Amino acid sequence: MTKQTSRISGFHKLSIPERIDKTLDFAGITAAQTRNLFLNTGNIPMELADQLIENTVGTINIPVGIATNLLIDGKDYLVPMATEESSVVAAVCNAARQCYDSGGFTTSMSSMCMIAQVQLVNVSNPHSARLQIIEHLDEIRALCNACDPVLVKLGGGFRDLEVRVIQTAQGPMVILHLIVDTRDAMGANAVNSMAETIAPHLEKWTGGKVYLRILSNLADRRLARVRCVWQLDAIGGAAVRDGMLSAYEFARTDPYRATTHNKGIMNGVTAVVLATGNDTRAIESGAHAYAAQNGWYSSLSHWEVTATGDLAGSLEMPMAVGLVGGATKLHPMAKANLEIMGIESAEQLARIIVAVGLAQNFSALKALATDGIQKGHMSLHAQNVALMAGASGAEVALIAAKLVALGTVRVDVAEQELSKLRV
Ligand code: MEV
């Protein structure tokens, strides 16, 4: 057998079917079924998939479920969520149901500003250089705004600058932050261009050398905020509330727990970010960095008791989502999902996303503080296990119910039950 090599020159120049064949040959896969899987690109045209990334061979479909019962800033929403995890959509529906009658979620946004960083090294007098840069504020504003006249026309553009001197193992570095309102764009392209434009001027003014010119995903000038009160009787009484508060205090204090607590929030957040074609990694890195803003990794949300004994939840986190550029504008499903929510601005979308994040967190804490997470998970998980065991049609529900009744949700048990069912 000849040795397979991953050194393939010109792979990107092949057609998609040719790339699929090359890949399957490499893996020794001959099944026509597998080839057809790659050729079926679902609700995204093959040509578009090919334009969005490099070396495209196919797509992977993720279920989209609708979160119901969401009342956000007085308006009802049906929110599409893209996730492969069972229980995530149901958790949002349940949490939103339990606060619907008392008014739902109230949201706000800090601003729509993104930060671009420019790294300046080899500056002999960094603190003077810092002031020299600030003295050029008007010139910097003009240079940045000239990069994107359309953005300026839409009400966005350069807003401010911030210059910091940081001490590193390679000596001091002068770090410039360009603070730019990117309106309905996530803004990476806009601010990166501005940072690149400013760079040679910084070198001229300070005598230093510029290396990096790139946005920061710690988008702490673009914070989405949500708060909500769940009434005591709607959540099942003081014991449930106190269990949830204890779970929150655990997450606030312990990074091991905070990571899982925040993962639950991101179950909701990422699902809407993905359903709308936005950059999930940008949101996730920003969220986790923001969760460590006090010097230790902690809970993104806060839970408290109101004066009347009800449970108040709140969440504030960076939310750099956009409506223009990238997959949001191109992916037919992302466009349809935005239409379902009636989204008119990136701010509106950001505010809906944090509401979903808080709802998700509420349900996880409530389940954990009462029955435990497995009870709710198991019936949905049992269906997946039944499918894995080969059940189809009406068999899926029957096998899933049997697994839950047995209290053993395992593929081998599902296979045994399936063979019994089929005799
Ligand atoms: C599971 O995907 C998410 C949870 O673990 C979140 C949490 O523990 O808060 C249930």
Side-chain angles (χ1 to χ4, degrees):
M1 209 175 112
T2 53
K3 180 182 170 294
Q4 296 283 21
T5 176
S6 62
R7 285 279 305 120
I8 306 174
S9 78
F11 189 83
H12 65 286
K13 292 187 194 140
L14 302 176
S15 68
I16 290 189
E18 285 167 339
R19 282 183 216 141
I20 294 171
D21 289 341
K22 263 216 171 315
T23 308
L24 296 183
D25 278 355
F26 179 92
I29 296 170
T30 52
Q33 212 185 352
T34 310
R35 188 169 190 273
N36 289 339
L37 264 186
F38 280 94
L39 286 169
N40 178 0
T41 57
N43 55 34
I44 167 169
M46 193 181 269
E47 304 70 46
L48 177 57
D50 202 19
Q51 280 155 15
L52 285 175
I53 66 161
E54 310 72 41
N55 292 356
T56 303
V57 291
T59 60
I60 177 162
N61 292 346
I62 302 287
V64 173
I66 295 292
T68 55
N69 308 328
L70 280 154
L71 178 61
I72 304 172
D73 300 319
K75 186 170 165 7
D76 278 73
Y77 287 95
L78 291 181
V79 178
M81 300 177 68
T83 180
E84 87 305 337
E85 185 173 336
S86 53
S87 306
V88 162
V89 179
V92 175
C93 300
N94 290 337
R97 176 68 197 95
Q98 289 168 55
C99 65
Y100 187 93
D101 294 336
S102 53
F105 301 86
T106 304
T107 70
S108 59
M109 189 92 196
S110 62
S111 81
M112 296 305 282
C113 287
M114 296 300 287
I115 297 170
Q117 296 192 290
V118 186
Q119 175 202 23
L120 197 59
V121 302
N122 299 344
V123 184
S124 50
N125 46 346
H127 289 281
S128 307
R130 174 176 174 271
L131 298 191
Q132 269 175 302
I133 296 169
I134 294 172
E135 285 156 23
H136 286 87
L137 172 67
D138 290 340
E139 206 174 335
I140 292 174
R141 177 186 292 113
L143 285 163
C144 287
N145 283 342
C147 287
D148 203 333
V150 177
L151 180 63
V152 175
K153 215 167 135 200
L154 292 169
F158 178 91
R159 290 288 181 269
D160 202 359
L161 58 73
E162 202 174 56
V163 192
R164 297 181 298 134
V165 177
I166 60 170
Q167 300 302 333
T168 79
Q170 295 179 353
M173 293 182 188
V174 181
I175 309 296
L176 166 66
H177 284 184
L178 299 171
I179 298 158
V180 182
D181 185 332
T182 61
R183 302 273 88 196
D184 283 336
M186 183 273 192
N189 285 328
V191 301
N192 290 344
S193 302
M194 291 179 189
E196 290 186 6
T197 301
I198 294 299
H201 299 272
L202 290 183
E203 291 184 340
K204 189 175 72 193
W205 296 329
T206 64
K209 160 127 192 73
V210 167
Y211 280 118
L212 269 59
R213 296 143 295 164
I214 184 77
L215 101 162
S216 170
N217 286 119
L218 179 47
D220 61 2
R221 307 277 181 144
R222 197 162 169 144
L223 299 173
R225 302 170 175 137
V226 57
R227 62 185 171 83
C228 182
V229 172
W230 277 267
Q231 285 179 346
L232 206 53
D233 52 353
I235 62 173
V240 177
R241 179 200 66 196
D242 294 345
M244 292 174 73
L245 287 168
S246 165
Y248 159 64
E249 194 51 29
F250 181 14
R252 202 186 61 75
T253 316
D254 175 31
Y256 284 91
R257 174 57 206 151
T259 307
T260 321
H261 176 101
N262 290 343
K263 190 273 184 185
I265 294 173
M266 299 313 286
N267 275 346
V269 166
T270 302
V272 188
V273 172
L274 185 60
T276 55
N278 273 288
D279 182 340
T280 52
R281 290 82 55 216
I283 300 302
E284 280 162 5
S285 56
H288 296 299
Y290 195 67
Q293 62 177 325
N294 294 329
W296 81 96
Y297 188 88
S298 184
S299 166
L300 278 166
S301 60
H302 295 282
W303 293 92
E304 302 155 319
V305 186
T306 67
T308 47
D310 300 316
L311 183 66
S314 56
L315 171 66
E316 178 185 65
M317 60 187 286
M319 196 48 67
V321 288
L323 301 184
V324 294
T328 317
K329 246 318 189 243
L330 300 173
H331 198 303
M333 200 57 185
K335 284 199 285 187
N337 287 336
L338 289 167
E339 219 176 309
I340 285 168
M341 291 184 278
I343 297 295
E344 284 171 2
S345 69
E347 174 175 339
Q348 185 189 8
L349 176 60
R351 290 163 60 159
I352 291 172
I353 293 173
V354 278
V356 170
L358 187 67
Q360 186 74 44
N361 190 215
F362 170 90
S363 280
L365 294 189
K366 188 175 173 197
L368 288 165
T370 53
D371 295 332
I373 211 77
Q374 288 307 85
K375 192 173 169 214
H377 266 211
M378 272 310 155
S379 52
L380 287 165
H381 179 55
Q383 288 186 30
N384 291 348
V385 170
L387 285 167
M388 278 187 243
S392 64
E395 290 172 342
V396 179
L398 287 172
I399 298 295
K402 185 78 192 168
L403 294 178
V404 172
L406 289 171
T408 325
V409 183
R410 290 202 327 248
V411 179
D412 58 330
V413 179
E415 281 166 353
Q416 284 162 18
E417 292 302 323
L418 191 60
S419 24
K420 281 193 224 159
L421 190 76
R422 284 177 175 172
V423 286

